[in-house]
Amino acid sequence: MRIGVLGGGQLGRMLALAGLPMGLEFVFIDPAKDAPMESIGRHICANYDDETALDELASRADIVTYEFENILLSSVDYLSRKVPVVPSRKALEISQERLFEKSFLKKIGIPVGQFCPIDSLDDIENAARVTGLPAVLKTRRFGYDGKGQRVVATIDELTTAVREMISVPLILEKKIDFKREMSMMVVRNLSGETAYYPLVQNEHRRGILYTSAAPAPNIESLAGIAEEYAGKLLTALGYAGLLTIEFFETDEGLLVNEFAPRVHNSGHWTIEGAVTSQFENHLRAILDYPLGSTDLTGYSKMINLVGALPSFGEIAKFSDTHIHYYGKSPKPSRKVGHITVRGNDFNTVEKKADEIIRLIEVVY
Amino acid sequence: MRIGVLGGGQLGRMLALAGLPMGLEFVFIDPAKDAPMESIGRHICANYDDETALDELASRADIVTYEFENILLSSVDYLSRKVPVVPSRKALEISQERLFEKSFLKKIGIPVGQFCPIDSLDDIENAARVTGLPAVLKTRRFGYDGKGQRVVATIDELTTAVREMISVPLILEKKIDFKREMSMMVVRNLSGETAYYPLVQNEHRRGILYTSAAPAPNIESLAGIAEEYAGKLLTALGYAGLLTIEFFETDEGLLVNEFAPRVHNSGHWTIEGAVTSQFENHLRAILDYPLGSTDLTGYSKMINLVGALPSFGEIAKFSDTHIHYYGKSPKPSRKVGHITVRGNDFNTVEKKADEIIRLIEVVY
């Protein structure tokens, strides 16, 4: 739906800000050339390594940040000569490559599952000995939403998989027998002020995040150690910005799976569920403002909309339930929006989320 | 500050949505032509009676709404032949003209202060008899933020004021000796579902709204009657959308001052202070979706930023305090932003708001 508005002042602007997450589009009439609705964003349509585009970005921006980590370091280096880029190259470089990432985490004393690089067929036996089987064979770079991964149960399966994937550097990781998956958003500004959101509990389906519950239940014994790992990582990286750490809870305690130097799908609940959203706190951090409170406003459960969109009206009838459309056309396995259910009572939120999950279609 | 972002997907889009209220501007690189950041709004730069612009708006919009009420009815009529305009012409017509508005309210049984039209110098004595003195002489149309108003204490002062202002139709209104000023946002969707936000207490300075506290304290005896008046008004207008009613609390009870058929400055606190903001609920109402909950998330106090902007960092150090910049350059008496303080305890919110009020500069 497209909404026309007579007047593009602050009220029109905030109408649009409230309506955009609802998937609406806006068109304004306003006699003023510099009306508040004007300032949302300019789109430079280009590849990330296009130097003309990078020049334009640098000339139009006071500071540059990023929303995903698979960006060429050469682009960041190019930009960095002209404009500050935050978070830093170091966090990006490490998080882009699973072997660097796991080795770095291990080096600074954060527990990770067993892993071993595979650069040729000769490495297979040793790698399987290090990780044990079953294990997960992964490309070291450019994986997301479970892409570039293969679970292998035997040496034969591993050998077949390596033969197929060996055109790029690989890593074998122990298949973790986890009790649950969790993540934590942490944020640190340029001056070093740090804040922690609570651990959230994540459920994936077909490698794609499906739900996040905040706070994760029964984390009394885990919260302290998770924050300790997060603090270590922020310090070791000299990090500024919001950073997301993914954990496995196992019988032996928390293991870190990976980290992302950016705002994260498992933190979308913070828009309504925390006093300050992950998005605002990322901006505060890179601009070196005091951080906003990471206190919760209640219990939240986020449900991803994957491959299909429910109608707004269908979801709007649930109270304290917040729908976000991304303006993308639905395709199988594509994240096209999310819903956050919030409330003051854990059971009410869970029950409402279950009802919604039964209602919505998911297409993989 | 201008933020550059590599990637214009949903994360970049939500970064921008969180950052725009902070007064930041965004520029993106993204290879996709239809990236989610793209959809914010198109600006047709024209006057409200420009038929070419209205044609373009009608052709680009499925439904048209407005953010202020001083729009020519002829423009609304022109648009209405091509595209639905909500709220309806009737509410707009009545609220544009103080005599129509007061007469309409009185006719449907809602108490208002004494008033009398003044069309010529001959009407002065009768009008003063009806309202008593002191009174407020106002233009019937196009008043806002205290403009087009004059307080008069004697027949001589009234006569002088009428002589100066008589080129347009006038109304004399009793100067209400109020205990406090309040307002209420109410919302009704096209199907007739209705929801009420609580009464908020407003403080004006030099005719411009300065603060709104939600909920207004000690409203137990007033809430029922305010909702009754609001319900009457919505029904009489056959209204869809969000509507704001301004009240005076007097020794004789609540009087209605005026109403606005739109989202309102005294409802900005709903962005953080209510489960659903006035902006989202206006959109839900005109699109005939189920309304969002108007429950509060705590106590809120909104402070307008008038004529000057504090730095983000200066305000960001207060917890659960939310700054909104409108992207306008500061000029005396111009509303350029607002701050909402939220919390679970009334006294804490009031104290924090007082500290902020002492800190910020206001320029009239």
Side-chain angles (χ1 to χ4, degrees):
Chain A
M1 289 289 281
R2 300 165 296 158
I3 312 294
V5 184
L6 295 163
Q10 62 261 35
L11 299 177
R13 173 178 156 127
M14 282 188 275
L15 270 181
L17 286 173
L20 279 165
M22 296 165 65
L24 303 171
E25 289 178 31
F26 289 80
V27 50
F28 298 84
I29 294 187
D30 193 295
K33 277 216 168 72
D34 61 346
M37 52 62 56
E38 201 66 274
S39 58
I40 183 68
R42 168 191 292 270
H43 185 191
I44 304 167
C45 191
N47 286 314
Y48 298 110
D49 57 354
D50 179 329
E51 292 195 356
T52 310
L54 294 169
D55 284 343
E56 188 180 346
L57 187 71
S59 74
R60 291 187 184 282
D62 299 306
I63 184 170
V64 169
T65 188
Y66 41 87
E67 59 145 23
F68 74 113
E69 60 271 44
N70 289 329
I71 294 164
L72 288 177
L73 290 175
S74 55
S75 294
V76 171
D77 291 338
Y78 185 89
L79 273 174
S80 295
R81 287 193 289 273
K82 305 179 175 224
V83 62
V85 180
V86 187
S88 69
R89 184 190 205 283
K90 185 174 180 183
L92 195 63
E93 183 173 19
I94 294 170
S95 67
Q96 280 183 347
E97 217 276 11
R98 293 184 195 280
L99 179 61
F100 294 170
E101 188 180 17
K102 286 260 162 37
S103 309
F104 182 80
L105 290 166
K106 196 173 165 184
K107 195 183 75 187
I108 64 173
I110 295 176
V112 295
Q114 283 77 28
F115 63 92
C116 189
I118 294 186
D119 291 312
S120 78
L121 292 169
D122 298 341
D123 299 332
I124 288 176
E125 275 198 34
N126 178 51
R129 208 165 20 240
V130 170
T131 66
L133 290 174
V136 191
L137 182 69
K138 298 181 179 178
T139 59
R140 284 192 217 155
R141 288 180 180 275
F142 302 122
Y144 73 97
D145 285 352
K147 287 179 187 160
Q149 305 199 2
R150 189 93 60 90
V151 177
V152 290
T154 65
I155 289 282
D156 279 357
E157 282 181 22
L158 175 57
T159 307
T160 308
V162 169
R163 275 187 210 282
E164 284 173 25
M165 292 164 67
I166 196 63
S167 63
V168 295
L170 301 173
I171 184 172
L172 191 68
E173 296 180 0
K174 178 177 178 178
K175 186 166 188 304
I176 307 294
D177 186 22
F178 58 80
K179 293 194 280 190
R180 49 182 176 162
E181 292 178 276
M182 292 192 282
S183 61
M184 182 183 258
M185 260 62 51
V186 296
V187 60
R188 187 170 183 260
N189 72 10
L190 287 162
S191 299
E193 189 196 350
T194 305
Y196 302 84
Y197 291 91
L199 280 167
V200 301
Q201 183 166 326
N202 301 319
E203 188 200 344
H204 289 78
R205 293 198 183 172
R206 309 207 188 188
I208 302 172
L209 183 65
Y210 190 50
T211 64
S212 296
N218 308 315
I219 48 171
E220 295 70 21
S221 63
L222 304 172
I225 192 78
E227 289 188 11
E228 188 192 313
Y229 295 160
K232 257 189 195 172
L233 182 56
L234 291 174
T235 305
L237 292 171
Y239 194 82
L242 188 128
L243 181 138
T244 306
I245 310 178
E246 294 184 23
F247 296 96
F248 293 127
E249 187 189 7
T250 72
D251 287 335
E252 289 76 44
L254 282 185
L255 296 182
V256 169
N257 179 32
E258 61 181 30
F259 69 88
R262 56 168 170 84
V263 290
H264 195 265
N265 193 168
S266 67
H268 288 356
W269 60 272
T270 59
I271 297 174
E272 295 88 8
V275 168
T276 313
S277 78
Q278 63 166 348
F279 301 101
E280 179 171 334
N281 255 340
H282 179 66
L283 296 167
R284 287 185 181 223
I286 68 171
L287 297 170
D288 207 22
Y289 289 131
L291 298 178
S293 163
T294 53
D295 287 351
L296 303 192
T297 62
Y299 293 91
S300 296
K301 184 135 189 187
M302 193 257 351
I303 303 155
N304 264 343
L305 298 172
V306 181
L309 286 171
S311 78
F312 189 89
E314 202 178 5
I315 304 303
K317 62 175 186 266
F318 293 93
S319 67
D320 215 342
T321 296
H322 307 271
I323 317 166
H324 299 259
Y325 295 148
Y326 302 151
K328 295 156 82 171
S329 26
K331 287 183 193 164
S333 298
R334 191 180 209 193
K335 293 173 187 170
V336 287
H338 75 267
I339 294 169
T340 298
V341 182
R342 182 178 63 174
N344 297 322
D345 175 71
F346 175 78
N347 290 321
T348 310
V349 168
E350 285 290 316
K351 214 180 127 191
K352 208 183 283 178
D354 286 345
E355 274 185 71
I356 290 168
I357 285 171
R358 277 195 298 275
L359 211 70
I360 60 177
E361 194 192 359
V362 179
V363 181
Y364 293 102
Chain B
M1 287 291 277
R2 299 164 297 158
I3 312 295
V5 184
L6 295 163
Q10 62 262 32
L11 299 178
R13 173 178 154 127
M14 282 188 277
L15 271 181
L17 286 174
L20 279 166
M22 296 165 63
L24 304 169
E25 288 178 32
F26 289 80
V27 51
F28 298 84
I29 294 186
D30 193 295
K33 277 218 168 72
D34 61 345
M37 53 60 59
E38 200 66 276
S39 59
I40 183 68
R42 168 192 292 269
H43 185 191
I44 304 167
C45 190
N47 286 312
Y48 298 109
D49 57 353
D50 179 328
E51 292 195 355
T52 311
L54 294 169
D55 284 343
E56 189 180 346
L57 186 71
S59 73
R60 290 187 185 282
D62 298 306
I63 183 170
V64 169
T65 188
Y66 41 87
E67 60 146 21
F68 74 112
E69 61 270 45
N70 289 329
I71 293 164
L72 288 177
L73 291 174
S74 56
S75 295
V76 172
D77 291 338
Y78 185 88
L79 275 173
S80 296
R81 287 193 289 273
K82 305 179 176 221
V83 61
V85 180
V86 187
S88 68
R89 183 192 205 282
K90 186 174 179 180
L92 195 63
E93 183 174 18
I94 293 171
S95 67
Q96 280 184 348
E97 216 275 10
R98 292 184 196 281
L99 180 61
F100 294 171
E101 189 180 19
K102 286 262 165 32
S103 308
F104 182 80
L105 289 166
K106 196 173 165 186
K107 194 182 76 186
I108 63 173
I110 295 175
V112 295
Q114 281 78 26
F115 63 92
C116 189
I118 294 186
D119 292 312
S120 78
L121 293 169
D122 298 340
D123 298 331
I124 289 176
E125 275 200 33
N126 179 52
R129 207 163 24 237
V130 170
T131 65
L133 290 174
V136 191
L137 183 68
K138 298 181 179 179
T139 60
R140 284 191 217 156
R141 289 180 180 274
F142 302 122
Y144 73 96
D145 285 353
K147 286 178 186 159
Q149 304 199 1
R150 189 93 61 89
V151 178
V152 290
T154 64
I155 288 281
D156 279 357
E157 282 180 25
L158 175 58
T159 306
T160 306
V162 170
R163 276 185 210 282
E164 283 172 26
M165 293 164 68
I166 195 65
S167 63
V168 294
L170 302 173
I171 183 172
L172 191 67
E173 296 180 0
K174 179 177 179 176
K175 186 165 189 303
I176 307 295
D177 186 21
F178 58 79
K179 292 194 280 189
R180 50 182 175 161
E181 291 177 277
M182 293 193 281
S183 61
M184 181 182 259
M185 261 60 55
V186 295
V187 59
R188 187 170 183 260
N189 72 10
L190 287 162
S191 299
E193 190 196 348
T194 304
Y196 301 84
Y197 292 91
L199 279 167
V200 303
Q201 184 165 325
N202 301 320
E203 189 199 343
H204 289 78
R205 293 197 183 172
R206 308 207 189 188
I208 302 173
L209 183 66
Y210 190 50
T211 64
S212 296
N218 308 316
I219 48 170
E220 296 71 20
S221 63
L222 304 172
I225 191 79
E227 289 188 9
E228 188 192 312
Y229 294 160
K232 257 188 198 173
L233 182 57
L234 291 173
T235 305
L237 292 170
Y239 194 80
L242 189 127
L243 181 139
T244 307
I245 310 179
E246 295 184 22
F247 295 96
F248 293 127
E249 187 189 8
T250 72
D251 287 334
E252 289 77 44
L254 283 184
L255 296 183
V256 170
N257 179 33
E258 60 182 29
F259 69 88
R262 56 169 171 85
V263 291
H264 194 264
N265 193 168
S266 66
H268 288 357
W269 61 271
T270 58
I271 296 174
E272 296 88 9
V275 168
T276 313
S277 78
Q278 62 167 349
F279 301 102
E280 179 171 335
N281 255 340
H282 178 66
L283 295 166
R284 287 185 181 223
I286 68 172
L287 296 169
D288 207 22
Y289 290 131
L291 298 177
S293 163
T294 53
D295 287 352
L296 303 191
T297 62
Y299 293 91
S300 297
K301 184 134 188 187
M302 193 264 341
I303 304 155
N304 264 344
L305 298 171
V306 181
L309 286 171
S311 78
F312 189 88
E314 202 179 5
I315 303 303
K317 62 174 188 268
F318 293 93
S319 68
D320 214 342
T321 296
H322 308 270
I323 317 167
H324 300 258
Y325 294 148
Y326 303 151
K328 296 157 81 172
S329 24
K331 286 183 193 165
S333 299
R334 192 180 209 192
K335 294 174 186 169
V336 287
H338 75 267
I339 294 169
T340 297
V341 182
R342 183 179 61 173
N344 297 322
D345 174 71
F346 175 78
N347 289 322
T348 311
V349 169
E350 285 290 315
K351 213 179 129 191
K352 207 183 285 177
D354 285 345
E355 274 186 70
I356 290 168
I357 286 172
R358 277 196 297 275
L359 211 70
I360 60 176
E361 194 192 358
V362 179
V363 182
Y364 292 103

